[in-house]
Amino acid sequence: PPPRLLGPFCIVVLALGLFAGTAVAVDEPAGDRLVVELDTDGDAESVFVETFDLTDDEQRAVFEDARTDDELREAAAAQLRASFQAVSDEANREIDRGIRVGEVTVETATEGDTGIVAYRFRWENLARVDGPRIALSEPFSTFDSLDRELLVLAPEGGELTEVSPQPERRGTDAASWPGLTPFGEGFE
């Protein structure tokens, strides 16, 4: 891919109208974030979100390439999957379950002057299940922070009972931390 695409294509985007299950739980404009919607079995539907300012010529060009070039989307999806699997593999060295990243799909959308590229994937065995309790720590506890907002949603009908570090926003079934929040070993 052209050099201008290498950085921006570590991307995933949440388009409010595109992703029914996850999007319904997020009642705000799309932005750079990682959305993790947990299931009761410890798997998670995940969406890595990147937005583009379509009033900026360079960002618009990158977004248009992503929207129109199937090969580029396939390559970006493969790169994102490999990156998330590498993070998962590092966490797997410390835990007794195998975290795996499923197939990554890419979709694009626009919302006003914002272009959205979304990578959606199933993150298998992401959370530890202990009876009725589901705990999410790895791989987030392994790293200092993310470069974007992290939004975690409890399984349908469930609620978050313990959250650390203190999230910026918290409801009964969702919590979010802004980008660059220090996580470390205390994340759960």
Side-chain angles (χ1 to χ4, degrees), residues 68-87:
T68 60
D69 188 335
D70 292 339
E71 278 186 34
L72 180 61
R73 281 196 310 277
E74 287 176 23
Q79 179 183 357
L80 184 99
R81 184 174 187 265
S83 295
F84 273 79
Q85 189 59 59
V87 167

Side-chain angles (χ1 to χ4, degrees), residues 70-122:
D70 292 339
E71 278 186 34
L72 180 61
R73 281 196 310 277
E74 287 176 23
Q79 179 183 357
L80 184 99
R81 184 174 187 265
S83 295
F84 273 79
Q85 189 59 59
V87 167
S88 298
D89 289 345
E90 185 169 326
N92 287 339
R93 290 196 255 306
E94 306 293 325
I95 59 176
D96 62 353
R97 65 183 188 282
I99 302 173
R100 291 178 304 280
V101 176
E103 179 184 348
V104 176
T105 59
V106 182
E107 296 187 40
T108 62
T110 58
E111 186 177 285
D113 288 334
T114 303
I116 302 168
V117 178
Y119 295 82
R120 185 177 179 89
F121 58 96
R122 187 149 185 87

